[in-house]
């Protein structure tokens, strides 16, 4: 396996990503859009999730494909970002047809960034507009770090952010990950600079600092946020043809990547979840081995994307936490 040409989730052909931010509020939204509807599934493993239309992604439900996925800041307010995306998709004729009407199917997930120092005294919820703006910005290239849904994110010690990574398997199938990191746990070993995800780094995509030479396996972490203030929300995608059940298994396996990159992860305070996307462009030639490899690749991509999210975060006036680069790359 090796990274795709962009090392972004958009190396999966047919997928686009758009970001939108509000610097005054210190928040944002990110949309994943397909050239056509795609199979999607979800696996939730955190104790405090915030979601929209995730029940629809179960394999026994009527709608088997969705039009877009949305990651957003704003806690419960941020769920409205998906409404903005749905409005934009309907305007161009996208959506599930019901009696001549088009209903865009746009599941989403949110993270908590309401206590990051931004001005939250809005008169009108800004997230519907942010969702529409993110949709309009959808492209193959997009910013990482302090961008989109990760623009106001924090972690247990460093500024959080938006990350992405990709892999091309030996069989030609592509896998990618997109993540907004707002975790309770730490992405670095102690006070850094080494990332927990270092064994999975390819090249110097998050600084090339290598693995920490020592750490205390008996260290007992303390929660530095309150219940519901933390979350890592992610999407893993492939161009393989998967059923919803197979996509859900890929989402489940991808959570291993979250545990490799954030310590601790999947806590009662976090809303950790992973969406899985399959565009169906490439049929499985080995339905036993390839799903097995896809799960491993998804976990590897997600671990790398999480580290890249924090590595690429930019220092900004009013930050409540330091950016990794401001401490280690002066």
């Amino acid at each position: 396996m090796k990274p795709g040409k962009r090392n972004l989730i958009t190396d999966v052909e047919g997928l686009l990503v758009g970001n939108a931010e509000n610097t005054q509020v210190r928040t944002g939204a990110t949309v994943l859009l397909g050239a056509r509807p795609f199979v999607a599934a979800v696996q939730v493993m955190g104790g405090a999730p915030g979601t929209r239309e995730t029940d629809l992604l179960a394999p026994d439900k009527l709608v088997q494909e969705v039009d877009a996925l949305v990651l957003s800041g704003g806690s419960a307010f941020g769920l409205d970002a998906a409404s903005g995306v749905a409005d934009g998709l309907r305007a161009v004729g996208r959506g599930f047809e019901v009696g001549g009407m088009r209903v865009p199917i746009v599941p989403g997930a949110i993270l908590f960034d309401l206590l990051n120092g931004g001005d939250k005294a809005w008169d009108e919820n800004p997230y519907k507009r942010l969702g529409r703006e993110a949709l309009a910005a959808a492209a193959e290239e997009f910013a990482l770090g302090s961008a989109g849904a990760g623009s106001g994110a924090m972690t247990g010690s460093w500024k959080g952010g938006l990350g992405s990574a990709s892999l091309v398997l030996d069989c030609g199938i592509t896998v990618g990950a997109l993540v907004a990191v707002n975790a309770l746990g730490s992405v670095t070993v102690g006070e850094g600079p080494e990332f927990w995800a270092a064994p999975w780094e390819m090249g110097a995509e998050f600084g090339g600092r290598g693995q920490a030479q020592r750490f205390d396996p008996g260290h007992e972490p303390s929660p530095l946020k309150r219940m519901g203030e933390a979350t890592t929300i992610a999407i893993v995608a492939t161009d393989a043809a998967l059923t919803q059940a197979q996509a859900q298994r890929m989402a489940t396996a991808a959570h291993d990547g979250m545990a490799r990159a954030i310590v601790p992860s999947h806590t009662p305070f976090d809303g950790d979840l992973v969406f899985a996307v399959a565009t169906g462009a490439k049929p499985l030639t080995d339905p036993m081995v390839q799903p097995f490899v896809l799960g491993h690749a998804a976990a590897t991509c997600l671990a790398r994307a999480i580290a890249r999210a924090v590595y690429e975060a930019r220092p900004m006036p009013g930050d409540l936490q330091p950016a990794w680069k401001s401490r280690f790359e002066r």
Side-chain angles (χ1 to χ4, degrees):
M1 300 184 297
K2 60 182 180 180
K5 63 181 180 180
R6 301 182 190 89
N7 199 18
L8 299 173
I9 196 171
T10 50
D11 286 326
V12 176
E13 187 175 357
L15 295 183
L16 304 175
V17 171
N19 289 326
E21 302 86 25
N22 184 314
T23 56
Q24 180 178 352
V25 181
R26 297 179 79 93
T27 194
T30 297
V31 60
L32 178 81
L33 177 68
R36 57 171 305 279
F38 48 77
V39 168
V42 68
Q43 181 67 34
V44 180
M45 293 186 68
T51 60
R52 165 185 157 133
E53 290 203 307
T54 50
D55 283 352
L56 191 64
L57 302 182
D60 64 333
K61 297 303 187 287
L62 172 65
V63 178
Q64 295 292 297
E65 296 180 319
V66 308
D67 294 288
L69 295 172
V70 176
L71 308 179
S72 178
S75 189
F77 299 106
L79 293 174
D80 212 27
S83 296
V85 174
D87 284 351
L89 290 172
R90 185 176 184 269
V92 296
R94 290 282 297 264
F96 183 71
E97 185 175 0
V98 182
M101 294 292 293
R102 290 285 179 177
V103 182
I105 307 301
V106 187
I110 49 87
L111 55 81
F112 186 99
D113 59 4
L114 298 181
L115 300 178
N116 62 5
D119 180 6
K120 306 304 190 293
W122 57 69
D123 293 324
E124 182 179 348
N125 183 332
Y127 290 96
K128 189 172 185 178
R129 175 174 49 80
L130 284 168
R132 190 91 180 234
E133 291 174 357
L135 178 64
E140 292 179 339
E141 299 284 352
F142 59 95
L144 301 183
S146 303
S151 60
M154 301 192 297
T155 73
S157 52
W158 307 104
K159 282 191 71 172
L162 187 76
S164 191
S166 71
L167 283 172
V168 180
L169 280 59
D170 292 345
C171 65
I173 289 173
T174 301
V175 176
L178 177 70
V179 62
V181 182
N182 189 63
L184 175 70
S186 177
V187 299
T188 61
V189 181
E191 296 182 357
E194 299 90 357
F195 288 91
W196 285 111
W200 310 99
E201 185 175 16
M202 295 188 174
E205 61 189 347
F206 43 89
R209 295 302 185 101
Q211 300 182 52
Q213 297 304 301
R214 63 186 65 185
F215 71 97
D216 179 7
H219 172 69
E220 292 189 12
S222 298
L224 300 178
K225 299 182 181 181
R226 291 172 292 190
M227 185 72 73
E229 289 184 9
T231 287
T232 298
I233 47 179
I235 303 169
V236 293
T238 180
D239 53 6
L242 303 180
T243 65
Q244 273 192 318
Q246 289 172 320
Q248 186 172 23
R249 291 309 309 169
M250 186 171 75
T252 302
H255 272 283
D256 290 352
M258 196 177 296
R260 295 171 190 169
I262 302 170
V263 179
S265 58
H266 305 131
T267 77
F269 299 84
D270 289 281
D272 297 343
L273 68 77
V274 178
F275 291 108
V277 166
T279 66
K282 296 180 179 178
L284 297 180
T285 57
D286 189 332
M288 294 296 291
V289 173
Q290 285 174 328
F292 165 81
V293 179
L294 282 172
H296 170 67
T300 301
C301 279
L302 184 52
R304 294 162 53 223
I306 288 169
R308 292 190 81 194
V310 173
Y311 173 73
E312 296 289 355
R314 304 185 307 274
M316 299 171 60
D319 281 346
L320 302 183
Q321 290 181 312
W324 186 96
K325 283 190 174 181
S326 68
R327 182 70 57 84
F328 298 116
E329 290 191 359
R330 294 175 182 263

